[in-house]
Amino acid sequence: MTQLQVGLRSLGYSVEEGETTFGASTKSAVTRFYEDRGYSVVEVGGEELKAAEDAFTAADRAAATAETALRRAKRDYDHAVEAAEALGPAERPTLDGVDDATSAVEFAHEDLEAAREAVNTARAAAGPQIPLGEVAFLVFLPVTVDKISVVVGREVGEGTVQLAAGPLSAIATFPRPVGDAVSIDNHATLIAPDGERWEGVVSNVKLVSETESESDDRVEVTVSLNVPIEIPSGSTMRVNVATFTSPFDQLMVPEAALVTSADGETRVRVEKGQEVRDVVVTVGESGDGMVAVTPVTEGTLAEGDLVVIGVG
């Protein structure tokens, strides 16, 4: 019900904030929703409501008649008492008529209250309804609407709404030589086209393509995220999987900062103020566009140094 009311409000239809059931304002919004799109709203319970209202009217009249009868019984009793007292000592009139009329009033009001409850029940059940065929029942929540293939007012074709449930995962495919180095629980990073990153772990690794040449085989890696995020299902993202973590702190530079000279040495160019100098390094592990380097001469390269990228 809450989802229906939120949806109606989002379309500009007024539903009272305090209404938590399929009440009057929700029914009114549903009616206008259908009518605005050229459809007749489905009405139910009209005959039952009319019968309940007729029964309430009859009970109300019966209660009024009983109250009138009680007033008359009390009046007649008072007159009888006055007449008896005027004649001197005599037997006092009984209250039987008043008692009977009082009981009749009590019963009439009980019937009236029952009729009122019946009207309220019939009124709640009557009026505009949403056909069951236009409601999707989901056995579990929450779910995310990924795609809606229909337009309100048009004929429904194949497929209507595509839903997704459960934790969001990313699936990446790697060549087998790379995929074989990936293990469950390896750290992974999901990277959006705009550069935003989310951390996760590898939850599954499986061989999905086996060929005569092992180097052409493909390995599918599933990455489960540590936090919920809202991105459309099927989005193309970049996945980085850590297959090795160094136990030591290492200096990292962009791959583009490495230059191999004619003598076979690998260097990075460091800029400090107006000074530019080349530092000979040995290369270690690489990943995500970065490479671990160790200066051949200790102290010639340190954390925070500016390195030049793209030296020819």
Side-chain angles (χ1 to χ4, degrees):
M1 184 54 61
T2 299
Q3 290 178 332
L4 171 64
Q5 292 169 337
V6 169
L8 288 169
R9 292 189 189 103
S10 70
L11 293 173
Y13 296 99
S14 177
V15 178
E16 293 180 5
E17 289 296 334
E19 190 167 276
T20 58
T21 62
F22 198 63
S25 67
T26 303
K27 291 179 181 180
S28 176
V30 168
T31 298
R32 287 184 286 113
F33 174 81
Y34 276 92
E35 291 176 346
D36 289 347
R37 286 154 180 80
Y39 290 93
S40 298
V41 67
V42 177
E43 297 274 355
V44 300
E47 294 182 359
E48 291 80 359
L49 176 58
K50 185 178 184 310
E53 289 175 339
D54 290 345
F56 175 79
T57 299
D60 188 41
R61 290 173 179 172
T65 300
E67 289 172 354
T68 299
L70 175 60
R71 287 194 297 271
R72 289 175 177 172
K74 289 181 177 179
R75 181 195 60 192
D76 293 343
Y77 173 77
D78 291 340
H79 288 168
V81 169
E82 291 175 359
E85 290 177 348
L87 295 174
E91 185 177 349
R92 189 177 184 83
T94 67
L95 284 169
D96 292 346
V98 174
D99 292 341
D100 291 343
T102 301
S103 297
V105 168
E106 292 176 353
F107 293 147
H109 278 282
E110 289 177 1
D111 293 342
L112 180 61
E113 186 60 31
R116 180 180 287 107
E117 293 179 2
V119 168
N120 292 336
T121 301
R123 184 172 291 125
Q129 301 289 302
I130 299 177
L132 184 60
E134 298 179 17
V135 177
F137 175 74
L138 305 178
V139 296
F140 50 81
L141 292 171
V143 297
T144 300
V145 177
D146 282 338
K147 182 180 180 182
I148 300 178
S149 305
V150 295
V151 177
V152 174
R154 294 185 184 176
E155 185 176 347
V156 177
E158 293 184 3
T160 53
V161 179
Q162 179 176 316
L163 304 175
L168 183 65
S169 297
I171 297 177
T173 304
F174 297 96
R176 187 169 183 177
V178 176
D180 284 345
V182 178
S183 300
I184 292 177
D185 292 335
N186 280 164
H187 177 267
T189 305
L190 187 63
I191 307 171
D194 62 1
E196 187 172 4
R197 294 170 172 246
W198 298 276
E199 304 304 317
V201 295
V202 175
S203 57
N204 189 44
V205 180
K206 67 177 181 179
L207 180 65
V208 294
S209 168
E210 191 170 9
T211 64
E212 294 181 359
S213 173
E214 187 174 294
S215 61
D216 293 331
D217 293 345
R218 311 295 292 178
V219 174
E220 184 180 276
V221 175
T222 301
V223 175
S224 296
L225 301 182
N226 296 331
V227 295
I229 64 174
E230 294 185 3
I231 58 175
S233 175
S235 298
T236 300
M237 315 289 280
R238 185 157 61 96
V239 176
N240 283 353
V241 179
T243 58
F244 171 79
T245 302
S246 173
F248 309 104
D249 291 336
Q250 292 183 301
L251 291 173
M252 304 290 292
V253 299
E255 291 180 350
L258 299 179
V259 178
T260 302
S261 59
D263 58 8
E265 290 184 326
T266 300
R267 295 179 169 84
V268 295
R269 178 160 292 182
V270 179
E271 182 178 296
K272 188 172 184 180
Q274 299 298 318
E275 178 187 359
V276 178
R277 53 188 171 82
D278 289 335
V279 177
V280 179
V281 296
T282 57
V283 178
E285 297 292 331
S286 63
D288 199 15
M290 304 293 288
V291 181
V293 296
T294 303
V296 173
T297 302
E298 186 176 354
T300 55
L301 184 65
E303 181 179 358
D305 286 346
L306 297 179
V307 296
V308 180
I309 297 175
V311 177

